[in-house]
Amino acid sequence: MLLYYITDRAQLPGSQSEKCERLLTAARAAARVGIDLIQLREKDLPARKLEALARALVQELKKFPQTRLLVNSRIDVAIAAGAHGVHLPANDISASEARVIFAKAGVVHPVIGVSCHTVAEVALAESHGADFAVFAPVFEKEKDSKKMPAAGLAGLRDACNRPPAAAARMPVLALGGVTLENAAACLACGAAGIAAIRFFQMENIVEVIHRLRKLTEPNQSQQPTTSHPYWLNMTIKK
């Protein structure tokens, strides 16, 4: 199971500098207990400050090599800071275009995630070589006042079990209102993991990740028989 922490310093207390420090502390705590991916999603920060924060996170994560850092949308910042990859919003460039940019900068195997809201968007992202999709919103509308109806478990199930647009289906993570109470239902629909902001940033991260990992304990002996062809850098933890 993949666990994806999406940052939002606006939810943290204190001044702007204190919020950034608390974000680093939250990311460090998540990495220490085995979070797989962290998305730096501070969209309001100017490029220079975003790069400085990304560089600080890269340094923190050197102690936790199992955790990958993705920068939201800004491929230039991801490259400059030495992050592991980028997370592309649904209306951004394609994963294949992003790979070309990374390749021109000498980055051979970036991790590329894509936000998707429909089965068609998941299939398109897969056809362009994304490593994984974050499907949202499952239980509640996304933030930033987007008026988007929840897809529900039925929508998540369709996204996870769509006909593959590549040699094998890429992982799909559930986002939007996911809790400890409904996470198992998301996994039962075929989700490869959970993505969240508050869930990983505001809660007791040690207890949350421990309880999530326990959801898949009965299946620890089962390993995926195929993998998405661009899934080069990571292994899905069961």
Side-chain angles (χ1 to χ4, degrees):
M1 173 168 56
L2 291 170
L3 300 180
Y4 193 13
Y5 164 34
I6 302 169
T7 74
D8 183 5
R9 76 190 193 290
Q11 296 185 12
L12 301 172
S15 65
Q16 287 302 315
S17 61
E18 290 170 337
K19 288 176 185 290
C20 287
E21 285 301 318
R22 287 189 167 95
L23 186 153
L24 290 172
T25 298
R28 187 188 311 117
R32 183 176 291 115
V33 292
I35 205 85
D36 299 287
L37 297 147
I38 296 175
Q39 179 194 149
L40 184 60
R41 190 180 180 269
E42 307 306 311
K43 297 189 292 183
D44 62 311
L45 282 179
R48 185 166 295 181
K49 289 186 177 180
L50 182 63
E51 182 184 335
L53 186 55
R55 286 184 182 276
L57 269 172
V58 167
Q59 289 301 311
E60 289 288 344
L61 295 182
K62 285 183 178 179
K63 309 165 192 172
F64 310 101
Q66 82 287 349
T67 301
R68 310 300 173 95
L69 175 66
L70 310 187
V71 177
N72 183 71
S73 185
R74 297 296 301 263
I75 300 174
D76 55 341
V77 172
I79 292 171
H84 298 93
V86 69
H87 185 95
L88 301 172
N91 59 351
D92 211 318
I93 65 173
S94 68
S96 57
E97 292 173 302
R99 288 195 187 280
V100 170
I101 297 171
F102 275 111
K104 288 181 177 179
V107 181
V108 181
H109 297 313
V111 179
I112 299 178
V114 179
S115 290
C116 298
H117 309 299
T118 66
V119 176
E121 288 180 356
V122 174
L124 182 62
E126 182 173 80
S127 71
H128 277 279
D131 286 300
F132 66 94
V134 173
F135 185 78
V138 178
F139 297 110
E140 63 181 26
K141 70 181 180 66
E142 289 190 300
K143 48 178 307 199
D144 302 331
S145 300
K146 293 180 181 177
K147 302 299 182 182
M148 189 174 297
L153 291 173
L156 177 63
R157 184 178 296 106
D158 289 343
C160 295
N161 296 283
R162 70 207 176 277
R169 282 191 293 265
M170 69 180 176
V172 173
L173 311 185
L175 171 66
V178 180
T179 66
L180 287 172
E181 288 68 38
N182 60 34
C186 293
L187 298 177
C189 288
I194 304 299
I197 299 174
R198 292 187 303 272
F199 199 34
F200 295 132
Q201 182 167 272
M202 305 298 288
E203 302 286 345
N204 180 339
I205 188 66
V206 176
E207 176 67 13
V208 166
I209 291 185
H210 173 71
R211 290 177 64 180
L212 286 173
R213 295 291 188 207
K214 283 182 71 68
L215 294 177
T216 56
E217 278 186 354
N219 298 319
Q220 281 183 338
S221 62
Q222 299 177 12
Q223 297 296 326
T225 56
T226 60
S227 62
H228 187 262
Y230 291 94
W231 193 247
L232 299 171
N233 293 320
M234 305 189 68
T235 301
I236 299 176
K237 298 177 182 178
K238 288 288 187 176

